[in-house]
Amino acid sequence: MIVILKPGMLASVQDLGRHGHRERGICPGGALDTLALTLANRLVGNADGAAGLELTMGNCEIRFEQATRIALAGDDFDARLDGRPLRAHWSVPVAAGQTLRLGGANVGTSKKALRSWLAVAGGIDVAPVLGSRSTDLKAGFGGHEGRALKKGDRLAIGTPRLDAAQMARRAFGLHAPDWALDGEPLGAADPIVLRVMCGPEFEQFTAASQKTLWKALWRITPQSNRMGSRLAGDTPLARRRSVDMLSSGVIPGTIQVPPSGQPIILMGDAQTTGGYPRIGVVIRADLWKLAQAPLLGQLRLVEVDATGAQMAWSAQQRYLRQVAQGLASAGWPAAL
Amino acid sequence: MSAPRLHALGDAALLCELPAPATLAQQQLIWALATEARSWPAVREVLPGMNNLTLMFDPALAEQAEIEMQVLTVWPQLSAAPIEGREIVIPVAYGGEHGPDLADVATHTGLTPAEVVRRHSGGSYTVYLLGFLPGFAFMGGLPPELATPRRAEPRLAVPARSVGIGGEQTGVYPLVSPGGWQLIGRTAVELFDPSAAEPTLLRPGDRVRFVAESIDL
């Protein structure tokens, strides 16, 4: 069992998402940074799709009643296990009774971060609903009682795939994804660059707005959440003609432009259909950066085509293969 | 019907879009394309919109150009055959505490509340797609004289299973949700149950009838 002593801003049980039900209006949800959850899961010998905890803006405390093994991905928020520093992207043994504490983010100071993902060996053991253990916060089902975690919640843990010796092994770490893929920590990137393909309604926008999309510095407003990152720029985006759009499918990464002209980048908990023009779509390989981009942080959007997007995706897959090989040669069970 | 406009929606999805206005015949072609595309190995999910379809595919199995070719190849062979839709009856408690905006709809349309209820429940509605919320059906067929603009101030929490009118559309909120539609009644029927074998009640192609279970004017 693990016990939530302090949940922080928003803690919820998430796996890689509830896929295959968009036709029913059910959004995929899941960990907004699937790369982070996958890495954390592999570090503790879990299947990639095991359920973990998504933590928002640190400030949380979790106690482990039994000995186990954990890994944190995303920002570490000065994590400490019974006072000793715990690094992100490390696989760490935990003794019975130890408490993990994440410090708080200080918006407006040099500490810029947003989310973390915690994997526990064996995974969070909640009943799957519609094929997933993710929490659908909007519709109130899945995960732990269909809601955000609160103080006092106790969560069961599944059976680890690691044997006793592996569970007790000394802590070891991985080459973090931001360093591996971009050569610098995400926290140092300012603005964070997201690669974007033109959206189906890109041509409806004025020439000036099309340029603004790529040139502007977009601020991530505090109104951002798991449904989407609401951006603010100095110049609103405008279409040449204001035409009502028929409802059309939207996916995470879709950049919608409502009448205000300030874009919203949709994320896992967004509705499955929308009626606002889609000026662009963030490529799959960059969604993890959006999931971690801090409130009040800045984004720059850079145009790529399908080929550029595939290259970025291939680079990420290569990194994951290297991780799998590294863990396999350390004796870890094969990635699932 | 000429081929849909095709456009990438990011690097793993393809939008197939027919020209406005949305019609049942065009939506039937969208359903037919969805049925076809579901069987393609590289296609992971299909997502019908109003007059359009998004195909989510695995670029490791097929490039976008291949999916486009498949759409364009199969398109001329599709027929707008009605799919096996069912007749679904939704009993509604109209008015009173369940339909707080019925009077406003009456005022806007120039009809009496009783007449609003009669025409709403007399209509025959076809489900075009599900979206917005789990189990929320976008339906065609609202009698045009019942069209009423959304409320100026949306409610923070529309009660689950409320029946409403929003512009030219009618529908049922499957869950508590923020919403700006005019609420004219409420049903006891669940439109979404995640633990059920079929989690959503309505499907594209279903014909829906609202039946007045009670009327409180």
Side-chain angles (χ1 to χ4, degrees), chain A residues 20 22-24 200 247 284, chain B residues 5 11 38 45 50 135 198:
Chain A
R22 279 183 170 88
E23 275 189 274
R24 298 186 149 119
S247 292
R284 289 177 301 160
Chain B
R5 171 195 171 225
D11 55 308
R38 259 186 224 106
E45 276 193 74
M50 189 70 86
E198 282 290 334

Side-chain angles (χ1 to χ4, degrees), chain B residues 18-198:
Chain B
L18 294 174
T23 64
L24 184 56
Q26 291 198 160
Q27 195 69 11
Q28 287 168 339
L29 287 171
I30 293 294
W31 295 335
L33 179 60
T35 302
E36 271 295 321
R38 259 186 224 106
S39 68
W40 301 344
V43 170
R44 286 211 189 117
E45 276 193 74
V46 303
L47 178 47
M50 189 70 86
N51 228 26
N52 60 73
L53 182 69
T54 300
L55 302 180
M56 307 187 54
F57 64 94
D58 184 349
L61 296 180
E63 290 182 15
Q64 181 183 316
E66 293 174 58
I67 306 288
E68 290 183 346
M69 275 301 303
Q70 286 183 283
V71 172
L72 295 175
T73 303
V74 84
W75 184 258
Q77 302 155 26
L78 297 176
S79 65
I83 63 179
E84 296 291 317
R86 308 158 300 172
E87 274 257 335
I88 308 280
V89 172
I90 298 188
V92 180
Y94 281 102
E97 53 163 332
H98 298 305
D101 305 325
L102 181 58
D104 286 343
V105 172
T107 305
H108 176 82
T109 59
L111 303 165
T112 64
E115 191 59 20
V116 170
V117 171
R118 198 186 66 79
R119 294 186 193 211
H120 186 262
S121 56
S124 172
Y125 306 93
T126 304
V127 176
Y128 275 53
L129 65 131
L130 302 184
F132 167 55
L133 288 173
F136 183 90
F138 286 75
M139 294 189 255
L142 179 72
E145 65 273 18
L146 295 184
T148 307
R150 289 166 176 75
R151 299 189 67 78
E153 287 288 333
R155 290 182 171 84
L156 282 178
V158 169
R161 292 168 276 104
S162 292
V163 178
I165 291 175
E168 294 166 4
Q169 298 183 88
T170 188
V172 186
Y173 285 87
L175 349 136
V176 174
S177 160
W181 284 26
Q182 307 282 359
L183 307 181
I184 61 173
R186 198 169 178 197
T187 181
V189 170
E190 287 286 2
L191 281 89
F192 174 62
D193 178 359
S195 60
E198 282 290 334

Side-chain angles (χ1 to χ4, degrees), chain A:
Chain A
M1 281 285 178
I2 67 174
V3 186
I4 308 297
L5 301 177
K6 266 173 75 174
M9 170 84 61
L10 176 64
S12 59
V13 175
Q14 302 291 350
D15 59 18
L16 293 180
R18 184 170 283 111
H19 296 283
H21 302 286
R22 279 183 170 88
E23 275 189 274
R24 298 186 149 119
I26 300 170
C27 67
L32 295 188
D33 184 344
T34 52
L35 180 60
L37 183 64
T38 299
L39 292 171
N41 271 330
R42 288 191 184 184
L43 278 165
V44 295
N46 289 346
D48 290 356
L53 299 184
E54 181 174 274
L55 306 168
T56 311
M57 293 177 74
N59 220 16
C60 48
E61 285 183 26
I62 299 166
R63 188 175 67 229
F64 301 91
E65 291 192 334
Q66 281 83 36
T68 183
R69 197 165 183 96
I70 64 175
L72 192 64
D75 200 276
D76 62 28
F77 286 96
D78 298 323
R80 282 161 196 274
L81 190 61
D82 275 10
R84 285 183 39 205
L86 180 137
R87 300 171 67 172
H89 311 105
W90 274 61
S91 176
V92 178
V94 175
Q98 285 194 300
T99 300
L100 173 70
R101 283 178 185 82
L102 270 59
N106 300 304
V107 176
T109 71
S110 59
K111 176 66 173 175
K112 290 183 188 325
L114 186 61
R115 294 188 177 98
S116 326
W117 290 267
L118 177 71
V120 183
I124 308 292
D125 189 9
V126 293
V129 180
L130 292 170
S132 166
R133 294 185 170 86
S134 291
T135 313
D136 189 319
L137 294 166
K138 202 166 64 227
F141 69 92
H144 180 73
E145 300 179 0
R147 58 169 175 78
L149 297 173
K150 53 186 206 250
K151 174 177 170 171
D153 280 339
R154 299 166 58 84
L155 302 172
I157 304 301
T159 307
R161 293 171 72 212
L162 302 175
D163 62 32
Q166 291 168 325
M167 288 289 279
R169 184 180 170 146
R170 275 181 62 178
F172 65 89
L174 274 184
H175 195 195
D178 43 4
W179 282 100
L181 296 169
D182 294 332
E184 66 169 358
L186 186 66
D190 186 14
I192 291 174
V193 174
L194 299 180
R195 287 163 291 193
V196 172
M197 288 172 65
C198 291
E201 286 82 46
F202 179 82
E203 295 300 331
Q204 290 183 13
F205 286 82
T206 64
S209 285
Q210 291 176 9
K211 281 209 187 69
T212 301
L213 182 68
W214 310 125
K215 282 181 54 165
L217 280 178
W218 296 102
R219 290 182 304 282
I220 300 172
T221 70
Q223 285 70 44
S224 304
N225 54 35
R226 281 183 50 90
M227 290 177 65
S229 292
R230 292 183 168 252
L231 309 184
D234 292 336
T235 312
L237 302 171
R239 288 189 288 170
R240 282 181 259 115
R241 278 185 316 130
S242 198
V243 181
D244 255 358
M245 223 182 90
L246 293 172
S247 292
S248 192
V250 290
I251 57 177
T254 302
I255 306 176
Q256 288 185 317
V257 183
S260 65
Q262 301 291 6
I264 306 169
I265 310 184
L266 299 181
M267 304 189 74
D269 277 9
Q271 299 167 6
T272 52
T273 58
Y276 294 137
R278 298 155 296 191
I279 194 170
V281 185
V282 176
I283 67 173
R284 289 177 301 160
D286 282 353
L287 289 177
W288 69 272
K289 293 188 208 175
L290 185 58
Q292 292 195 40
L295 302 183
L296 306 186
Q298 296 189 114
L299 299 175
R300 188 181 303 285
L301 307 176
V302 158
E303 183 180 1
V304 294
D305 60 13
T307 305
Q310 294 315 324
M311 282 174 55
W313 184 251
S314 298
Q316 200 174 106
Q317 296 306 108
R318 248 193 325 274
Y319 167 68
L320 281 171
R321 273 197 304 278
Q322 286 162 2
V323 167
Q325 281 157 18
L327 289 173
S329 52
W332 245 225
L336 263 187

